Amino acid sequence: MLIIPAIDLIDGKCVRLEQGDYSKVKKYDCDPVKVAKKFKKQGTKLIHIIDLAGAKNGKPKNFKKIAQIADETGLDIQTGGGIRTYKQAEKILNYGIRRIILGTSAFINPKMVRSLINTFGADRIIVSVDAKDGIIMTNGWIKKSSQSIEDALNRLRDTGLEIIIFTDVKQDGMLKGININNVKKVLGKGFKVIVAGGVTSTEDIKQLDKLGAYGCIIGKALYEGQVKLASPNNLAKRIIPCLDIKNSRVVKGKKFINLKDAGDPVELAKYYSEMGADELVFLDIMATVENRETLYELVSKISANINIPFTVGGGIKSLEDIRTLLACGADKVSIGSYAVKNPDFIKKAAEQFGSQCLVISIDPKKINNKWKIFIKGGRQNTNIDAIKFATKMAQMGAGELLVNSLDRDGMKTGYDIELLKAICSAVNIPVIASSGAGRKEDFLKVFKNTNVDAALAASLFHYGEIKIPELKQYLLKNNVTIRI
Amino acid sequence: MIQIIDYGAGNIKSVQNALTQLGVSSKIVSSGKELDINCKTIFPGVGAAGSAMQTLKERGFLWKIPKIKAPFLGICLGMQLLMDYSAENNTKCLGIIDGKVRKLQKTVKIPQIGWNKIDQLTPQNLLFKDIPDQSYFYFVNSYFVDADSNSIGSTDYGIVFTSVINKINFYGVQFHPEKSGTIGLKLLNNFCKLC
């Protein structure tokens, strides 16, 4: 969902009103260009600028300032306020402003909306549906129209319009949160809906996202620091095939038993790299001393053949083990049981090699409503609280957490969303979701509902049940940031 | 022939593997004495700024790197060390390019690990030849370059930072081209073809 910071302008300056009341003006950081730059620095791509003086007077009054913001920041801008004629709209759009917002004029003159859409495309025209008690408000929210929301939407549908802004006038500028029942009236009516008015907390944002809103506009709450632009960035969510290695072959079994042979690791690694895997994880499930040399050989071979990052895990017990694996070309090492027994080891390893190469793999299982850490391939309960342990690992210098779930492993019923949510909110390092994926919907769900950075799966990919390119296209289509 | 600077901490093997895949021969250079100032150079960096600068000094690289006349590519920490100063261990760096290295803000997960986009500020730069704007590359970093100028590519991770830099023959990339799949190899190949 888009989170769009708002700038309202009167006389070239930033203001916020309460419930659209022009007598309740609050002025903020005066130069809107500065404010826009600040939003840009926080990662915004798109800002919402309303020419309040224009809205009230029925013709644009602050276009120069808006053009200046566009020129100086290079940001995408959606702007409205006083755009009543085709000519005014044309001028703004031809200037290169991304989208214009029509309010009053759209309801008086739907024909104009249609011809603008025909010329500039539906992606550049927004109609703002501003309502108070279910009735459309116009002329800078001063005038009550005779149209209900329902009537208005029906009339707009014929114009080819795709994007609307729904403003709940009563909530706007009140910092009291959104009125979900009002928002629900406009969702699911065939428009992409951007919600404005009362978006005050991250809870509001989450709720709107869940309801399927296309975006939300944040004004006062942002200026007053109640909401921060949620660490927006372009970092792609990673899809990671995991290859369990035994005697230099790839295996994967249900709940760690009944291992099946699923192929040659080097060939598989190359294949996955070409398919668009973002990273690979190799776990040596034998991890015996005798096995070490073969593992090193294998890692060197993999490193020579692929150039995407890969992690190697299994039986790491010393700084020397880590050093050798990194020297063979591994980018990261994954440490499980040994970190549980020797948390200080992680600190030493982080000091020596840096956090970026340390992935801590944990195997939680729910016992009496608490997640406990298990070791020895899931056979032994340590009674350590998984969330606390995750926090501790982050403090010790872990670079990433690979979170398995003994309740979900091999079950194909989806990732353990609750567990992952709990871990993500406890740490500020990247989290890799593991265990339980069965369908592509499971990947979407874990990315939409939790703050994980990557999702890992094994047999699903090895047996071709899900093809990575198709999975990535599917996620991309559903607005997950994905590298294609 | 490309010389790869080895100061004992960088993951030079991945870079060497990538060059091998491109059919470019390379040699490892472990001291300033061996460094040829007329040879194309790649400087891969992993680890912390403080100890890296210390080792560069001990191995006699410090005074010689700025004298290099051939194209030079710093990767990750190797890019950061080209700047004046790094907030990591409060370190004075090589000072070849103007600007500072700062820590990422706590509003994002640290380290940044994963694939992020490059916004090409000067797409005509030969390093970007045949690389589409907004392509993804693989990043691993907790610090970023805040350049005064010379920025030719930027990336958004909580804040917009310089991810590709170029001053005369010195280039730097914050990401790991050797770990960035085909597109990364293309960028390395572009570097290898610079004259």
Side-chain angles (χ1 to χ4, degrees):
Chain A
M1 190 178 68
L2 294 170
I3 296 172
I4 313 165
I7 294 175
D8 286 354
L9 295 175
I10 292 181
D11 303 331
K13 289 181 177 148
C14 284
V15 297
R16 302 305 301 171
L17 306 180
E18 257 177 40
Q19 295 184 323
D21 186 341
Y22 282 76
S23 65
K24 291 180 186 161
V25 177
K26 192 163 179 182
K27 285 190 182 163
Y28 290 92
D29 193 344
C30 277
D31 183 7
V33 180
K34 259 196 202 159
V35 176
K37 281 185 180 165
K38 200 171 94 192
F39 289 148
K40 187 184 179 181
K41 263 206 160 166
Q42 292 168 356
T44 297
K45 301 275 181 296
L46 170 68
I47 49 175
H48 174 87
I49 306 179
I50 296 300
D51 177 356
L52 281 179
K56 197 175 171 186
N57 291 303
K59 68 174 196 212
K61 291 272 182 196
N62 283 292
F63 181 64
K64 260 193 189 161
K65 201 69 193 178
I66 294 166
Q68 190 196 345
I69 296 172
D71 293 344
E72 288 193 26
T73 64
L75 285 167
D76 277 348
I77 291 172
Q78 57 182 45
T79 185
I83 306 170
R84 302 280 201 271
T85 67
Y86 187 93
K87 267 221 155 125
Q88 288 164 345
E90 190 182 36
K91 181 183 162 196
I92 298 172
L93 288 167
N94 280 339
Y95 191 83
I97 302 293
R98 183 86 195 94
R99 287 173 178 151
I100 54 152
I101 304 163
L102 304 170
T104 310
S105 56
F107 299 102
I108 302 171
N109 187 2
K111 260 192 191 161
M112 185 179 93
V113 180
R114 183 179 309 159
S115 45
L116 280 169
I117 287 174
N118 285 342
T119 314
F120 294 98
D123 186 52
R124 299 189 66 192
I125 313 297
I126 302 177
V127 170
S128 187
V129 178
D130 308 332
K132 196 172 183 175
D133 304 320
I135 302 294
I136 301 294
M137 302 294 289
T138 59
N139 299 78
W141 304 350
I142 296 169
K143 226 170 133 184
K144 208 165 182 175
S145 77
S146 55
Q147 294 183 47
S148 69
I149 295 177
E150 193 78 354
D151 295 342
L153 291 185
N154 284 337
R155 288 187 71 189
L156 289 170
R157 192 163 290 123
D158 299 334
T159 62
L161 184 73
E162 287 177 6
I163 311 172
I164 61 169
I165 292 172
F166 172 68
T167 310
D168 198 338
V169 174
K170 265 200 164 166
Q171 307 298 116
D172 198 63
M174 298 306 285
L175 294 174
K176 283 189 178 150
I178 47 170
N179 185 329
I180 274 296
N181 288 329
N182 288 343
V183 173
K184 278 183 183 162
K185 283 179 193 153
V186 292
L187 290 171
K189 299 273 159 68
F191 295 101
K192 291 179 180 168
V193 181
I194 298 171
V195 177
V199 183
T200 307
S201 62
T202 33
E203 271 317 301
D204 287 337
I205 296 170
K206 277 184 195 161
Q207 210 172 0
L208 288 172
D209 192 25
K210 253 192 189 162
L211 286 172
Y214 172 64
C216 67
I217 294 168
I218 310 179
K220 205 172 201 170
L222 203 58
Y223 289 80
E224 310 227 324
Q226 295 204 3
V227 192
K228 280 192 189 134
L229 288 172
S231 4
N233 60 71
N234 288 328
L235 194 66
K237 299 290 185 187
R238 287 170 278 156
I239 300 296
I240 308 177
C242 175
L243 296 84
D244 285 355
I245 306 284
K246 185 186 175 189
N247 299 327
S248 299
R249 301 282 297 176
V250 179
V251 288
K252 178 72 192 177
K254 260 192 183 178
K255 285 206 167 183
F256 296 123
I257 342 167
N258 301 329
L259 300 176
K260 283 185 195 168
D261 190 335
D264 170 29
V266 179
E267 282 309 303
L268 261 180
K270 259 164 98 175
Y271 169 78
Y272 283 132
S273 167
E274 281 156 21
M275 284 293 115
D278 296 304
E279 200 170 319
L280 297 170
V281 170
F282 297 88
L283 291 180
D284 180 9
I285 56 170
M286 289 289 279
T288 52
V289 182
E290 310 84 70
N291 231 1
R292 286 329 263 184
E293 285 307 315
T294 23
L295 179 66
Y296 297 149
E297 244 171 66
L298 180 63
V299 171
S300 301
K301 243 198 218 157
I302 293 162
S303 165
N305 280 285
I306 62 162
N307 48 338
I308 59 170
F310 69 99
T311 302
V312 180
I316 292 164
K317 288 189 177 69
S318 68
L319 296 176
E320 199 45 47
D321 290 340
I322 300 178
R323 186 172 296 117
T324 315
L325 284 169
L326 295 179
C328 290
D331 298 284
K332 316 175 200 180
V333 294
S334 165
I335 304 172
S337 299
Y338 198 70
V340 179
K341 286 181 266 177
N342 309 280
D344 285 337
F345 173 66
I346 301 306
K347 197 173 174 193
K348 278 187 211 136
E351 279 162 6
Q352 185 98 35
F353 307 105
S355 293
Q356 82 290 334
C357 68
L358 295 175
V359 180
I360 306 303
S361 168
I362 58 173
D363 291 341
K365 184 179 168 78
K366 213 170 193 179
I367 307 280
N368 298 330
N369 268 326
K370 289 244 166 164
W371 286 288
K372 299 292 183 186
I373 296 277
F374 277 64
I375 50 170
K376 300 197 171 162
R379 290 188 300 273
Q380 189 184 328
N381 184 359
T382 62
N383 239 347
I384 296 170
D385 182 89
I387 311 297
K388 280 187 192 150
F389 181 70
T391 315
K392 187 171 183 180
M393 284 297 105
Q395 282 164 357
M396 290 288 177
E400 277 179 286
L401 292 176
L402 197 171
V403 182
N404 303 293
S405 159
L406 292 173
D407 302 304
R408 298 296 178 107
D409 193 67
M411 302 306 284
K412 300 195 173 177
T413 51
Y415 293 100
D416 193 335
I417 300 289
E418 292 315 310
L419 168 67
L420 291 162
K421 264 188 182 172
I423 300 236
C424 285
S425 57
V427 300
N428 194 40
I429 56 174
V431 172
I432 303 167
S434 172
S435 306
R439 304 171 309 153
K440 55 189 192 317
E441 288 80 2
D442 295 332
F443 291 84
L444 182 61
K445 206 170 154 197
V446 82
F447 288 134
K448 285 278 177 189
N449 295 339
T450 77
N451 199 16
V452 299
D453 302 85
L456 175 147
S459 52
L460 212 54
F461 296 137
H462 307 325
Y463 296 117
E465 290 165 47
I466 289 184
K467 299 228 161 43
I468 292 175
E470 284 161 27
L471 172 65
K472 288 187 127 186
Q473 285 296 342
Y474 165 79
L475 292 171
L476 192 68
K477 216 178 79 200
N478 284 286
N479 299 319
V480 179
T481 310
I482 285 288
R483 173 186 73 112
I484 294 289
Chain B
M1 171 65 74
I2 288 197
Q3 55 184 353
I4 302 173
I5 295 181
D6 175 19
Y7 63 96
N11 185 352
I12 44 174
K13 181 152 180 203
S14 304
V15 173
Q16 217 177 4
N17 281 337
L19 291 175
T20 309
Q21 285 179 44
L22 289 170
V24 177
S25 54
S26 58
K27 62 173 182 201
I28 310 286
V29 177
S30 317
S31 73
K33 222 185 260 169
E34 298 165 59
L35 196 68
D36 176 357
I37 60 165
N38 295 310
C39 180
K40 256 180 230 166
T41 309
I42 293 182
F43 179 28
V46 179
S51 56
M53 283 303 290
Q54 185 59 35
T55 316
L56 286 180
K57 194 177 165 189
E58 284 162 15
R59 296 196 178 189
F61 280 117
L62 220 48
W63 64 276
K64 206 158 177 190
I65 289 175
K67 293 200 162 43
I68 289 176
K69 292 191 185 71
F72 178 103
L73 178 66
I75 295 174
C76 196
L77 180 66
M79 168 197 191
Q80 296 178 357
L81 294 181
L82 294 176
M83 312 309 289
D84 295 318
Y85 165 84
S86 172
E88 189 177 23
N89 321 115
N90 189 17
T91 307
K92 186 178 182 290
C93 301
L94 291 162
I96 293 169
I97 302 179
D98 298 337
K100 289 189 178 69
V101 178
R102 292 165 40 203
K103 182 139 197 188
L104 286 166
Q105 297 168 327
K106 284 220 170 96
T107 53
V108 289
K109 295 187 184 186
I110 301 174
Q112 165 175 231
I113 296 183
W115 299 77
N116 207 333
K117 285 181 191 172
I118 305 299
D119 194 0
Q120 297 180 8
L121 305 175
T122 51
Q124 68 278 14
N125 193 295
L126 288 175
L127 201 62
F128 292 136
K129 192 171 180 279
D130 297 327
I131 292 176
D133 192 18
Q134 308 298 327
S135 290
Y136 279 103
F137 290 87
Y138 188 77
F139 285 80
V140 181
N141 61 308
S142 302
Y143 289 80
F144 67 93
V145 167
D146 185 2
D148 299 340
S149 50
N150 306 112
S151 182
I152 61 166
S154 69
T155 294
D156 179 353
Y157 189 63
I159 62 162
V160 177
F161 66 89
T162 295
S163 47
V164 192
I165 205 162
N166 171 216
K167 185 181 173 186
I168 319 169
N169 59 319
F170 285 90
Y171 293 79
V173 289
Q174 181 59 64
F175 51 83
H176 289 271
E178 77 281 12
K179 284 289 162 185
S180 297
T182 347
I183 206 87
L185 286 183
K186 196 173 265 175
L187 187 132
L188 273 181
N189 200 33
N190 286 344
F191 173 76
C192 295
K193 285 189 174 151
L194 291 172
C195 43

